[in-house]
Amino acid sequence: MVDKISVTVQVDLDGKYGRIVATGCLTGAGQRALHPLIRRARALTPGTHVVVDIRGAHLMEPAGVDLLRRAVAQDGAVELALPDPLSAHLPTPVDRTPVVADGPAAPGRRARTAA
């Protein structure tokens, strides 16, 4: 899977309201692409209210959401729109327990891989 984020910026005609819509994968690295867009949207006119809408993202890494929350929290005129429930968009944990044909690998015993 390719971890890409797609962004659309919507601004009303008088520049008082901006909406940044992000879809795709929101990763820890990918969320950084939103920061300059947020700054530019805020700089349009004094008092511009910006909403960063990530409800359309199909996958969100917890680190990406946390870093974006922190960045948005630094500016009171920026709002973060999250999906409800957020847990439906987070990756499912992967069980990385090595397994052998007759059960989990015992200490000192190597796991066999399927051919």
Side-chain angles (χ1 to χ4, degrees):
M1 178 173 73
V2 178
D3 296 335
K4 289 190 177 182
I5 188 168
S6 177
V7 180
T8 303
V9 179
Q10 302 168 337
V11 181
D12 68 355
L13 292 177
D14 63 2
K16 296 287 185 187
Y17 180 80
R19 185 169 177 240
I20 299 169
V21 181
T23 59
C25 296
L26 181 71
T27 62
Q31 60 84 31
R32 292 185 307 203
L34 297 173
H35 296 218
L37 298 173
I38 294 169
R39 282 193 301 274
R40 286 182 182 176
R42 290 281 298 127
L44 289 173
T45 58
T48 299
H49 180 78
V50 178
V51 175
V52 180
D53 187 350
I54 59 172
R55 292 178 292 187
H58 64 270
L59 179 69
M60 298 179 201
E61 288 182 355
V65 174
D66 186 49
L67 289 168
L68 187 58
R69 273 186 180 149
R70 289 181 190 184
V72 166
Q74 294 176 358
D75 191 341
V78 178
E79 177 185 338
L80 183 61
L82 295 168
D84 185 37
L86 178 60
S87 60
H89 297 273
L90 298 175
T92 52
V94 177
D95 183 12
R96 300 207 184 270
T97 307
V99 178
V100 293
D102 55 344
R109 187 170 161 204
R110 297 179 70 185
R112 287 185 240 149
T113 57

